[in-house]
Amino acid sequence: MTRTLPAALAAIALLLPGPAGAAPPSVLKVEPPSWWPGHSTSPVRLLVRGRNLSGAEVTEAGPGLKAGPVKVNPAGTYAFLDVTIDRQAAPGPRTIHLRTADGTAEVPLEILAPLPRAGRFQGFSPDDAIYLLMPDRFANGDPANDDPAASRGLLDRAKGRFYHGGDLRGVIARLPYLKDLGVTAIWLNPWYDNVDHRNERETYDGQAITDYHGYGAVDFYAVEEHLGDLATLREMVDRAHALGIKVIQDQVANHSGPYHPWVADPPTATWYYGTPAKHLANTWQTWTLQDPYSPPEMQKATLEGWFIDILPDLNQDDPEVARYTIQNTLWWVGVSGLDGIRQDTLPYVHRRFWKDWMAAIKKEYPDLRVVGELFDGDPVLVSFYQGGAPRSDGIDSGIDTLFDFPLFFKIRDAFAKGGSLREAAMTTARDHLYRDPSTLVTFLGLHDVPRFMNEPGASVAALKSAFTLLATMRGTPLVYYGDEIALPGGADPDNRRDFPGGFPGDARNAFEASGRAPDEEAVHAHVRALLQLRQATPALRRGRLVNLHVADKDWVYARVLDGGRAVVVGLNTGDLPLALDLEAAPLGLADGVRLRAAVGPQGDAAVEGGRLRLSLAPASSAVFLP
Ligand SMILES: [Ca+2]
Ligand SMILES: [Ca+2]
Ligand SMILES: [Ca+2]
């Protein structure tokens, strides 16, 4: 076969790479993929990932939309595109058309009808009891997603840092169990899409691991395929709400996962603090963040360093990053109807960003609540992050509340390490540092620390008493999945064992009393009784905390509401029985009132002659109600 020379040259030209920009544009990803008319964030700024986007302009936006201008990064791989949605725009899919000198591309955007507000976006408060569960380790409700096509080979229940098969469908199946336990809110470790292959940057037992825990996002707008999908997430939220259970999302603003596409190709030159090749490692010096004598240079590695020298640290000083993260937060809330946010690694992000982030949340969802993680035992530092007033740096973070790590450490010391209960009382004595200590989220275990039962002095009796404190103390109690059945476990990942009975083929089912060993049943019954009593007793949720007696091995306090509604709590960590005769005046109860132990060993207390007389068995606790 022969052909003319010009035709042959033209055929060759098609096979050769053209001059820069000669290829047509294409779109790979749009974030957010959907938005609402009448939203407080308007215009919404789309981050469009694609190819050959340089010079892109909007040619058509679709009914009810105005789009543009477009800003493209030098590599032509990301476009920022503002979209204004008309208040009257009808819900449904739209297509925004982009044109470059070399062709056109389509940007899909879904216009959503806002979810009805009733029963959604509710926030959480001391009236709630939160349950933290790691979705991969709690219950497997859908074996079809155990080893998904998109990410084969990451499932191995024999390995602590592989996927085990738990999922959102499993959470849905166990909502009635949680309801029965007295739980009114669930916090799930992150459901963001994590990397689809092994994480070669980290090893454990000499092996590459997986990001089963959810803290290494590769897509902030997708649900991890091992856990389910967006439809299942929405179903979980709706079904939880139907049972009176709120949902708290675990969000991570500080960093992405090491395999996020941004790492190799950032949307802006300053998307992260540094690059994989050149960045600071985090030095964890959170104390410098409120130190009047630490200049920004001293704080830099803590705010901008990469976690474990691996996790790319997002630069919230880049306005595009700040905008992206704020919209991402609002999107998850808006698409699912969830009620609260747990924000990871709070102190490692500049406080000026939290102020803006919280303002955007409250503007759209005034009742939503945020609890921040500041892993530190010093209430001076933890309280510095609670919003409500500008602090010494002139910034009001706006953050609603914090986890009570300071009290957590003292609970562990007092009940499981032979330490003093007085230290716990001395920690709550610092409550004046907080703008509102009543909302602190209290706990005796979570996914980042060894289990309570792993402590050297732990026992079933000690765990029960620690739960008594948790359920009756000021704050919002949090139960870490499995602690209610005294699940053992050491450091991560041993503290994330599978809940017995949550997985096909399990030898027993501890979600049911018949599947629990006697000790497990004893703790479960105790926690259930406490949480149900807390729900039924306003003084335990809202009452003033009043100390009646504080010593190394025993602590008696009351939660007091006006009108004689006082509840007395007694804790005895010693090995001797205790008989106390205490000043009764702070209780506001009339002489002759008898109190009955509603939870704990049988026992009575009485107010006589202005004195409160009560007794406590060794290593026990009791909640006395008039
Ligand atoms: Ca599964
Ligand atoms: Ca994935
Ligand atoms: Ca940071």
Side-chain angles (χ1 to χ4, degrees), residues 139-147 164-167 226-227:
N140 185 353
D142 181 8
N145 62 21
D146 289 1
D147 192 21
H164 288 189
D167 49 41
H226 285 87
L227 303 183

Side-chain angles (χ1 to χ4, degrees), residues 64-215:
L65 301 193
K66 278 200 275 295
V70 186
K71 189 177 81 180
V72 181
N73 69 341
T77 50
Y78 283 95
F80 296 92
L81 168 59
D82 279 359
V83 178
T84 303
I85 304 166
D86 191 282
R87 272 189 177 275
Q88 313 303 327
R94 299 289 197 285
T95 303
I96 300 166
H97 295 261
L98 295 182
R99 186 180 63 201
T100 70
D102 302 300
T104 60
E106 297 183 343
V107 177
L109 181 69
E110 179 94 11
I111 305 305
L112 299 173
L115 292 173
R117 297 221 162 208
R120 297 187 173 91
F121 321 121
Q122 303 169 92
F124 54 87
S125 76
D127 289 336
D128 289 306
I130 306 172
Y131 190 88
L132 163 61
L133 63 92
M134 183 160 277
D136 181 57
R137 303 296 165 87
F138 185 59
N140 185 353
D142 181 8
N145 62 21
D146 289 1
D147 192 21
S151 47
R152 287 256 183 262
L154 303 185
L155 177 85
D156 189 342
R157 284 190 69 196
K159 293 196 173 88
R161 290 188 172 166
F162 275 60
Y163 282 92
H164 288 189
D167 49 41
L168 301 178
R169 185 63 59 195
V171 177
I172 291 171
R174 298 305 175 184
L175 288 171
Y177 165 82
L178 298 174
K179 171 83 176 171
D180 176 72
L181 185 60
V183 167
T184 66
I186 50 174
W187 154 29
L188 287 71
N189 296 113
W191 56 61
Y192 301 129
D193 187 17
N194 274 237
V195 69
D196 293 346
H197 53 77
R198 293 187 191 191
N199 179 351
E200 305 283 347
R201 316 278 166 93
E202 294 180 60
T203 56
Y204 181 70
D205 288 346
Q207 272 201 330
I209 63 172
T210 77
D211 284 344
Y212 70 94
H213 45 66
Y215 289 98

Side-chain angles (χ1 to χ4, degrees), residues 13 67 123 205 369 472 514 517 593:
D205 288 346
R369 290 292 177 270
T472 60
S514 59
V593 168

Side-chain angles (χ1 to χ4, degrees), residues 181 453 459-461 463-464 467 482-486 517-530:
L181 185 60
M453 290 306 287
S459 66
V460 164
L463 178 59
K464 286 170 67 178
F467 268 122
D483 278 354
E484 80 275 26
I485 55 163
D519 279 353
E520 295 174 337
E521 175 59 19
V523 177
H524 184 277
H526 185 71
V527 174
R528 181 173 180 270
L530 284 167

Side-chain angles (χ1 to χ4, degrees), residues 11-22:
I12 289 166
L14 282 175
L15 300 174
L16 294 172

